[in-house]
Amino acid sequence: RNKTNFLVAVKEKGEVFFDSGLNLRVWRKKHHKKVARLRRKLAERKAQHKDTRSVRRLLKRLSLCQRNFTKTYCQTVAKRLVAWAGTDAILALENLKFQQGKKGSEALNRRLHRFPHGLLLRCIRNKAEMLGIPLLLVNPAYTSQTCFRCGSLGDRQRHRFYYPQRDFTAHADLNAAFNILHRARETMLSEPKGLGSG
């Protein structure tokens, strides 16, 4: 789960589930422009001492619309993931805890704040529980910067992972998904009681 590609998953046999989240990003970008325009209009009306009730009502309606769209999108992706995984699977996800970026990095903070990682996790957990599928959370550290073949640190640049020592290149999120798969397998072997945690 990340802001570059919404959800990427792999199976041990190499099958891939991929959702870029493009529809959500496009919709949110358009929505953000509408809200920004209405906020400017609200400020103008306040400055002119005009009635602002209609603009405030519209902003409230757009806010509700955004929450509903995001929730529906997360539920849809979660349903597709669980159906793809199958009832005999064990779902493993990164135990993500997003923090605010450095002081002054408003763009990064805004992107992190908008990414519904908690909502997506809840939707996946709910769908998995309905079908009795265990859910395992693993340590996310360096999953997108580590080569899933040998475990050495490489270089990630947006969609691309590169390990120069072996001249190996892969999609960064697929590489991370394989690392999560390996960590989940290690966790299950060392701590079998950890299934269903989180």
Side-chain angles (χ1 to χ4, degrees):
R1 296 169 290 152
N2 63 59
K3 63 186 186 307
T4 306
N5 290 301
F6 197 66
L7 185 65
V8 180
V10 294
K11 293 182 180 179
E12 288 189 332
K13 294 181 180 179
E15 296 175 56
V16 176
F17 177 93
F18 191 95
D19 188 285
S20 67
L22 179 62
N23 292 338
L24 181 62
R25 290 199 299 272
V26 169
W27 188 90
R28 285 193 159 195
K29 188 174 182 179
K30 290 180 180 177
H31 180 270
H32 180 69
K33 287 182 178 179
K34 288 180 184 177
V35 171
R37 187 171 63 248
L38 284 170
R39 284 181 176 162
R40 287 194 299 269
K41 187 175 181 179
L42 180 66
E44 289 172 4
R45 288 203 172 189
K46 282 184 177 179
Q48 296 169 3
H49 303 288
K50 291 183 178 180
D51 185 22
T52 60
R53 282 177 296 180
S54 61
V55 181
R56 283 187 282 115
R57 277 199 302 267
L58 189 52
L59 280 169
K60 188 175 181 179
R61 194 181 309 137
L62 284 175
S63 178
L64 180 61
C65 185
Q66 178 186 355
R67 288 197 299 270
N68 289 340
F69 185 90
T70 304
K71 184 177 180 180
T72 302
Y73 191 89
C74 289
Q75 288 174 337
T76 303
V77 172
K79 185 177 181 180
R80 286 178 49 225
L81 172 69
V82 171
W84 171 81
T87 54
D88 59 341
I90 296 172
L91 292 177
L93 300 171
E94 291 174 299
N95 189 13
L96 295 176
K97 294 179 181 177
F98 284 138
Q99 297 179 348
Q100 294 292 300
K102 295 180 180 179
K103 185 177 180 181
S105 181
E106 293 181 7
L108 175 61
N109 289 339
R110 186 167 57 249
R111 288 198 302 272
L112 291 178
H113 177 71
R114 287 180 184 173
F115 182 70
H117 58 93
L119 176 60
L120 180 58
L121 175 59
R122 288 195 299 274
C123 291
I124 293 173
R125 181 184 287 129
N126 291 340
K127 298 292 183 185
E129 285 178 355
M130 287 171 60
L131 297 174
I133 300 175
L135 180 65
L136 181 66
L137 297 180
V138 301
N139 182 5
Y142 301 104
T143 50
S144 61
Q145 300 171 34
T146 303
C147 177
F148 76 89
R149 291 182 171 181
C150 65
S152 301
L153 285 177
D155 179 38
R156 174 180 179 155
Q157 295 179 353
R158 196 165 170 77
H159 296 287
R160 177 179 169 272
F161 171 81
Y162 179 57
Y163 181 49
Q165 280 76 2
R166 295 191 179 182
D167 196 28
F168 170 65
T169 303
H171 190 286
D173 291 325
L174 282 178
N175 179 69
F178 275 111
N179 281 322
I180 293 168
L181 174 66
H182 298 332
R183 290 186 187 184
R185 191 186 298 124
E186 291 171 2
T187 301
M188 287 186 291
L189 291 174
S190 61
E191 301 176 15
K193 293 181 181 179
L195 290 180
S197 62

